[in-house]
mmCIF file of all heavy atoms in Angstrom:
data_model
loop_
_atom_site.group_PDB
_atom_site.id
_atom_site.type_symbol
_atom_site.label_atom_id
_atom_site.label_comp_id
_atom_site.label_asym_id
_atom_site.label_seq_id
_atom_site.Cartn_x
_atom_site.Cartn_y
_atom_site.Cartn_z
ATOM 1 N N PHE D 270 99.519 100.371 108.295
ATOM 2 C CA PHE D 270 99.313 101.445 107.320
ATOM 3 C C PHE D 270 100.069 101.023 106.060
ATOM 4 O O PHE D 270 101.248 100.648 106.104
ATOM 5 C CB PHE D 270 99.909 102.772 107.865
ATOM 6 C CG PHE D 270 99.767 103.911 106.917
ATOM 7 C CD1 PHE D 270 98.576 104.579 106.800
ATOM 8 C CD2 PHE D 270 100.838 104.325 106.135
ATOM 9 C CE1 PHE D 270 98.435 105.675 105.938
ATOM 10 C CE2 PHE D 270 100.701 105.370 105.265
ATOM 11 C CZ PHE D 270 99.499 106.064 105.145
ATOM 12 N N ILE D 271 99.366 101.114 104.883
ATOM 13 C CA ILE D 271 99.951 100.621 103.640
ATOM 14 C C ILE D 271 100.356 101.821 102.781
ATOM 15 O O ILE D 271 99.577 102.748 102.574
ATOM 16 C CB ILE D 271 98.967 99.738 102.884
ATOM 17 C CG1 ILE D 271 98.558 98.546 103.708
ATOM 18 C CG2 ILE D 271 99.555 99.294 101.561
ATOM 19 C CD1 ILE D 271 97.515 97.633 103.051
ATOM 20 N N PHE D 272 101.579 101.766 102.267
ATOM 21 C CA PHE D 272 102.120 102.844 101.442
ATOM 22 C C PHE D 272 102.855 102.204 100.256
ATOM 23 O O PHE D 272 104.099 102.046 100.266
ATOM 24 C CB PHE D 272 103.097 103.692 102.280
ATOM 25 C CG PHE D 272 103.315 105.090 101.767
ATOM 26 C CD1 PHE D 272 102.294 106.013 101.764
ATOM 27 C CD2 PHE D 272 104.572 105.479 101.304
ATOM 28 C CE1 PHE D 272 102.503 107.322 101.328
ATOM 29 C CE2 PHE D 272 104.806 106.756 100.891
ATOM 30 C CZ PHE D 272 103.772 107.679 100.871
ATOM 31 N N PRO D 273 102.108 101.790 99.199
ATOM 32 C CA PRO D 273 102.677 100.977 98.101
ATOM 33 C C PRO D 273 103.212 101.753 96.909
ATOM 34 O O PRO D 273 103.286 101.211 95.802
ATOM 35 C CB PRO D 273 101.482 100.136 97.695
ATOM 36 C CG PRO D 273 100.322 101.069 97.855
ATOM 37 C CD PRO D 273 100.655 101.952 99.036
ATOM 38 N N SER D 274 103.625 103.036 97.098
ATOM 39 C CA SER D 274 103.976 103.907 95.991
ATOM 40 C C SER D 274 105.125 103.365 95.147
ATOM 41 O O SER D 274 106.099 102.822 95.647
ATOM 42 C CB SER D 274 104.372 105.285 96.546
ATOM 43 O OG SER D 274 103.335 105.860 97.302
ATOM 44 N N PHE D 275 105.007 103.616 93.837
ATOM 45 C CA PHE D 275 106.104 103.329 92.916
ATOM 46 C C PHE D 275 107.244 104.323 93.129
ATOM 47 O O PHE D 275 108.433 104.006 92.981
ATOM 48 C CB PHE D 275 105.615 103.390 91.474
ATOM 49 C CG PHE D 275 104.723 102.294 91.029
ATOM 50 C CD1 PHE D 275 103.440 102.600 90.629
ATOM 51 C CD2 PHE D 275 105.135 100.989 91.069
ATOM 52 C CE1 PHE D 275 102.590 101.594 90.219
ATOM 53 C CE2 PHE D 275 104.283 99.958 90.663
ATOM 54 C CZ PHE D 275 102.982 100.280 90.227
ATOM 55 N N PHE D 276 106.866 105.579 93.421
ATOM 56 C CA PHE D 276 107.884 106.653 93.541
ATOM 57 C C PHE D 276 107.390 107.668 94.572
ATOM 58 O O PHE D 276 106.237 108.062 94.557
ATOM 59 C CB PHE D 276 108.046 107.333 92.204
ATOM 60 C CG PHE D 276 109.130 108.385 92.167
ATOM 61 C CD1 PHE D 276 110.420 108.064 91.820
ATOM 62 C CD2 PHE D 276 108.867 109.687 92.574
ATOM 63 C CE1 PHE D 276 111.435 109.029 91.812
ATOM 64 C CE2 PHE D 276 109.857 110.661 92.552
ATOM 65 C CZ PHE D 276 111.131 110.339 92.183
ATOM 66 N N GLU D 277 108.326 108.087 95.439
ATOM 67 C CA GLU D 277 108.048 109.138 96.408
ATOM 68 C C GLU D 277 109.268 110.041 96.551
ATOM 69 O O GLU D 277 110.398 109.571 96.438
ATOM 70 C CB GLU D 277 107.706 108.526 97.780
ATOM 71 C CG GLU D 277 106.342 107.881 97.888
ATOM 72 C CD GLU D 277 105.202 108.892 97.847
ATOM 73 O OE1 GLU D 277 105.465 110.067 98.163
ATOM 74 O OE2 GLU D 277 104.077 108.467 97.531
ATOM 75 N N GLY D 278 108.998 111.307 96.870
ATOM 76 C CA GLY D 278 110.091 112.194 97.172
ATOM 77 C C GLY D 278 110.552 112.015 98.598
ATOM 78 O O GLY D 278 111.701 112.189 98.918
ATOM 79 N N PHE D 279 109.610 111.653 99.465
ATOM 80 C CA PHE D 279 109.928 111.362 100.868
ATOM 81 C C PHE D 279 108.950 110.347 101.446
ATOM 82 O O PHE D 279 109.259 109.175 101.593
ATOM 83 C CB PHE D 279 109.969 112.604 101.709
ATOM 84 C CG PHE D 279 110.445 112.391 103.116
ATOM 85 C CD1 PHE D 279 111.799 112.423 103.396
ATOM 86 C CD2 PHE D 279 109.550 112.097 104.131
ATOM 87 C CE1 PHE D 279 112.236 112.205 104.721
ATOM 88 C CE2 PHE D 279 109.970 111.868 105.421
ATOM 89 C CZ PHE D 279 111.336 111.900 105.710
ATOM 90 N N GLY D 280 107.757 110.792 101.787
ATOM 91 C CA GLY D 280 106.731 109.922 102.392
ATOM 92 C C GLY D 280 106.455 110.300 103.834
ATOM 93 O O GLY D 280 106.829 109.563 104.763
ATOM 94 N N ILE D 281 105.735 111.383 104.064
ATOM 95 C CA ILE D 281 105.384 111.829 105.431
ATOM 96 C C ILE D 281 104.350 110.894 106.067
ATOM 97 O O ILE D 281 104.473 110.570 107.231
ATOM 98 C CB ILE D 281 104.901 113.293 105.422
ATOM 99 C CG1 ILE D 281 106.055 114.225 105.027
ATOM 100 C CG2 ILE D 281 104.381 113.683 106.808
ATOM 101 C CD1 ILE D 281 105.655 115.685 104.947
ATOM 102 N N PRO D 282 103.283 110.458 105.345
ATOM 103 C CA PRO D 282 102.244 109.654 106.002
ATOM 104 C C PRO D 282 102.756 108.416 106.767
ATOM 105 O O PRO D 282 102.327 108.209 107.923
ATOM 106 C CB PRO D 282 101.297 109.262 104.871
ATOM 107 C CG PRO D 282 101.442 110.408 103.918
ATOM 108 C CD PRO D 282 102.893 110.764 103.957
ATOM 109 N N PRO D 283 103.648 107.615 106.216
ATOM 110 C CA PRO D 283 104.125 106.443 107.028
ATOM 111 C C PRO D 283 104.920 106.908 108.250
ATOM 112 O O PRO D 283 104.951 106.199 109.263
ATOM 113 C CB PRO D 283 104.953 105.622 106.047
ATOM 114 C CG PRO D 283 105.252 106.521 104.895
ATOM 115 C CD PRO D 283 104.163 107.502 104.827
ATOM 116 N N LEU D 284 105.557 108.065 108.154
ATOM 117 C CA LEU D 284 106.286 108.592 109.316
ATOM 118 C C LEU D 284 105.296 108.980 110.407
ATOM 119 O O LEU D 284 105.509 108.693 111.613
ATOM 120 C CB LEU D 284 107.115 109.801 108.906
ATOM 121 C CG LEU D 284 108.280 110.236 109.791
ATOM 122 C CD1 LEU D 284 109.294 109.117 109.971
ATOM 123 C CD2 LEU D 284 108.924 111.475 109.232
ATOM 124 N N GLU D 285 104.164 109.581 109.988
ATOM 125 C CA GLU D 285 103.116 109.925 110.940
ATOM 126 C C GLU D 285 102.570 108.634 111.579
ATOM 127 O O GLU D 285 102.294 108.584 112.808
ATOM 128 C CB GLU D 285 102.008 110.674 110.236
ATOM 129 C CG GLU D 285 102.423 112.026 109.720
ATOM 130 C CD GLU D 285 101.345 112.663 108.820
ATOM 131 O OE1 GLU D 285 100.552 111.921 108.220
ATOM 132 O OE2 GLU D 285 101.330 113.907 108.717
ATOM 133 N N ALA D 286 102.372 107.615 110.749
ATOM 134 C CA ALA D 286 101.824 106.333 111.271
ATOM 135 C C ALA D 286 102.766 105.718 112.306
ATOM 136 O O ALA D 286 102.332 105.247 113.370
ATOM 137 C CB ALA D 286 101.583 105.367 110.106
ATOM 138 N N LEU D 287 104.054 105.716 112.001
ATOM 139 C CA LEU D 287 105.037 105.194 112.966
ATOM 140 C C LEU D 287 104.974 105.938 114.277
ATOM 141 O O LEU D 287 105.125 105.359 115.363
ATOM 142 C CB LEU D 287 106.451 105.273 112.378
ATOM 143 C CG LEU D 287 106.840 104.295 111.276
ATOM 144 C CD1 LEU D 287 108.280 104.566 110.858
ATOM 145 C CD2 LEU D 287 106.662 102.848 111.718
#
Side-chain angles (χ1 to χ4, degrees):
F270 180 80
I271 301 178
F272 203 66
S274 301
F275 290 119
F276 184 93
E277 287 290 338
F279 186 87
I281 295 178
L284 199 60
E285 295 171 334
L287 288 180

